[in-house]
Amino acid sequence: MNTLLTPLAGRRILLGVTGGVAAYKAADLLRRLKEAGAEVRVVMTTHATAFVAPLTFQALSGEPVRDGLLDPAHEAAMGHIELARWPDLILVAPATANCMAKVAQGLADDLLSTLLLATDRPVAMAPAMNRLMWANPATRANVETLLARGIQLLGPGSGDQACGETGEGRMLEPVQIRDAVIERLTTPGPLQGCRAVVSAGPTREPIDPVRFIGNRSSGKQGFAVAAALKALGAEVTLVAGPVSLPTPAGVKRVDVETTAQMLEAARTAVAGAQLFVSVAAVADYHVADVAPRKIKKHDASLPLVLNRNPDILSTLRAEFPALFMVGFAAETDDLETHARGKLERKGLQMIAANQVGDGRAFEVDRNALQVFWPGGSATLDEGPKADVARALAALIADRYRNP
Ligand code: CTP
């Protein structure tokens, strides 16, 4: 077998075709993937079949094309859950604005959207839509959701559109998509073989059975870091404080509430791991005496005694001296001085600092980071948290590989 000519030999790709004019290009894409050696099965949405007949894809793939969710004959051959686990990659090309919105929402009202919800395999999408649909705030928000969950977007490109307009939203050419798929499936990520643990979100310290002390962390940055490390090939465990965010694809998640629980979960997870990224906004104190019953408002004031929590990073530093540890620092002033102080005190290899206050960083979708390590620093420009996470993951991989 000549792996130069057939770099995708032995790889399985599930090609999802949705209803856009670019669906005709998906037939050429299928041929290119097959030429590269891939085994390809095709799932079409009903709208896609209005643009290109399923028979075209059937002839090119040599496999029956599926377009219905509850087709008894197809289900008997390979059920949709089995099909969701079959490929090395699910590639949706073209991906319409509607398809992206459905996946962002977790809708499963046809075969393709059900497969995308039921899969634990990597997913790539090649968007194709009118430029105004691509620029629409609804689509922008969906794109960020998809990226944050680790879905790879290929394109779109810009240029002449089928509707007669010119702008961003054209599907990439089939060869460009094929090349991106080859790169994705054949290049080992820089963190291949590395086990990473990421903590994310706030922690909650109970006051009584119904109340707690918490903070404004949304968990978005930490979840995006977990997805970005996963995309670089790491095996990732995410220790998550109480947030209602979807788990990035392929990431193992452990939910915790208090700082003590986060320390325990992180301690268990880092045994056998090489990398720990502590993004969580960990509560520094807990209530000394948690009331066993709901506190009633009898008194004019209610003093609470708070005791210090253990520092998770410092604790794990002492127990796991070889662990590559990355901390975060949220600062309102003297960013570099405070961040470098924590880098040293906590024995970290790297620290990512952000300026907080005035509505920055917490509970918002954008962020910017100043990253410091002994003898160096980098600035990660302001952008969506998913972009910042990817830049940070690349930096971590680089420092981890070449300390
Ligand atoms: N951190 C930790 N354990 C704690 C508190 C914080 O591991 N009990 C970690 C955070 O996850 C973060 C880093 O330490 O990666 C810095 O957190 P930050 O709250 O900025 O620093 P503190 O050490 O709590 O210092 P201070 O609150 O005094 O600024």
Side-chain angles (χ1 to χ4, degrees):
M1 190 192 319
N2 187 335
T3 51
L4 282 177
L5 290 176
T6 54
L8 295 178
R11 312 314 292 266
R12 297 162 159 185
I13 296 170
L14 187 78
L15 177 62
V17 183
T18 68
V21 189
Y24 79 92
K25 290 191 187 175
D28 187 34
L29 171 61
L30 167 55
R31 285 191 52 214
R32 307 278 171 197
L33 294 170
K34 295 275 292 180
E35 276 166 12
E39 195 182 330
V40 188
R41 288 174 187 251
V42 178
V43 169
M44 301 178 79
T45 62
T46 310
H47 285 149
T49 63
F51 287 93
V52 186
L55 197 57
T56 305
F57 290 100
Q58 182 169 318
L60 292 172
S61 68
E63 297 283 345
V65 169
R66 296 195 49 173
D67 57 5
L69 177 56
L70 300 170
D71 177 329
H74 279 138
E75 283 296 308
M78 187 188 272
H80 61 274
I81 295 294
E82 234 178 309
L83 189 58
R85 313 280 154 83
W86 173 81
D88 296 306
L89 176 75
I90 301 187
L91 171 65
V92 186
T96 57
N98 182 55
C99 166
M100 294 169 70
K102 280 182 13 179
V103 176
Q105 288 298 314
L107 294 181
D109 62 354
D110 60 11
L111 179 60
L112 182 59
S113 53
T114 303
L115 292 173
L116 287 163
L117 195 61
T119 195
D120 58 356
R121 298 305 144 105
V123 175
M125 293 184 159
M129 66 196 74
N130 167 272
R131 65 184 176 90
L132 292 176
M133 292 170 98
W134 177 250
N136 190 290
T139 306
R140 311 299 338 126
N142 292 334
V143 163
E144 290 200 6
T145 304
L146 298 175
L147 289 173
R149 287 185 204 154
I151 291 178
Q152 183 185 16
L153 292 190
L154 308 173
S158 75
D160 292 340
Q161 302 204 301
C163 50
E165 297 183 7
T166 305
E168 217 180 345
R170 260 175 76 95
M171 188 170 91
L172 292 185
E173 293 306 321
V175 286
Q176 292 176 294
I177 299 175
R178 177 205 57 194
D179 290 348
V181 168
I182 292 173
E183 192 181 328
R184 169 93 189 238
L185 290 181
T186 59
T187 322
L191 292 177
Q192 203 78 40
C194 166
R195 287 205 191 142
V197 180
V198 178
S199 72
T203 57
R204 279 182 187 171
E205 300 298 343
I207 298 170
D208 68 14
V210 293
R211 298 165 179 112
F212 60 84
I213 297 174
N215 64 64
R216 294 184 188 281
S217 168
S218 66
K220 284 181 185 167
Q221 188 65 78
F223 275 57
V225 168
L229 293 172
K230 173 77 197 161
L232 295 185
E235 198 180 305
V236 182
T237 301
L238 177 60
V239 179
V243 293
S244 52
L245 290 174
T247 311
V251 166
K252 181 178 165 203
R253 174 171 179 172
V254 183
D255 286 309
V256 298
E257 198 158 305
T258 64
T259 299
Q261 290 167 357
M262 186 170 273
L263 172 59
E264 268 328 296
R267 179 183 270 141
T268 306
V270 298
Q274 291 77 39
L275 188 62
F276 177 47
V277 188
S278 182
V279 193
V282 182
D284 290 322
Y285 291 87
H286 66 271
V287 177
D289 292 307
V290 178
R293 291 201 210 126
K294 187 179 169 197
I295 300 171
K296 291 293 183 187
K297 53 175 182 304
H298 298 304
D299 304 321
S301 66
L302 177 71
L304 285 177
V305 176
L306 302 179
N307 287 343
R308 270 288 275 277
N309 276 330
D311 189 274
I312 298 176
L313 280 168
S314 305
T315 308
L316 297 182
R317 170 79 303 150
E319 295 174 15
F320 300 90
L323 193 62
F324 189 104
M325 296 209 307
V326 183
F328 265 65
E331 307 293 346
T332 52
D333 50 280
D334 287 335
L335 189 87
E336 175 156 6
T337 314
H338 286 307
R340 286 210 179 271
K342 286 174 191 175
L343 181 75
E344 189 139 333
R345 259 198 325 280
K346 302 190 188 211
L348 309 176
Q349 276 62 44
M350 188 184 262
I351 191 155
N354 54 4
Q355 194 87 38
V356 292
D358 302 332
R360 275 183 297 229
F362 284 112
E363 295 178 306
V364 294
D365 291 326
R366 296 174 76 81
N367 201 3
L369 292 173
Q370 287 280 114
V371 186
F372 304 98
W373 57 89
S377 69
T379 301
L380 307 184
D381 290 334
E382 208 239 16
K385 283 182 174 172
D387 291 359
V388 173
R390 271 195 299 276
L392 178 65
L395 205 54
I396 292 173
D398 191 45
R399 300 287 317 154
Y400 170 72
R401 289 280 170 221
N402 318 292

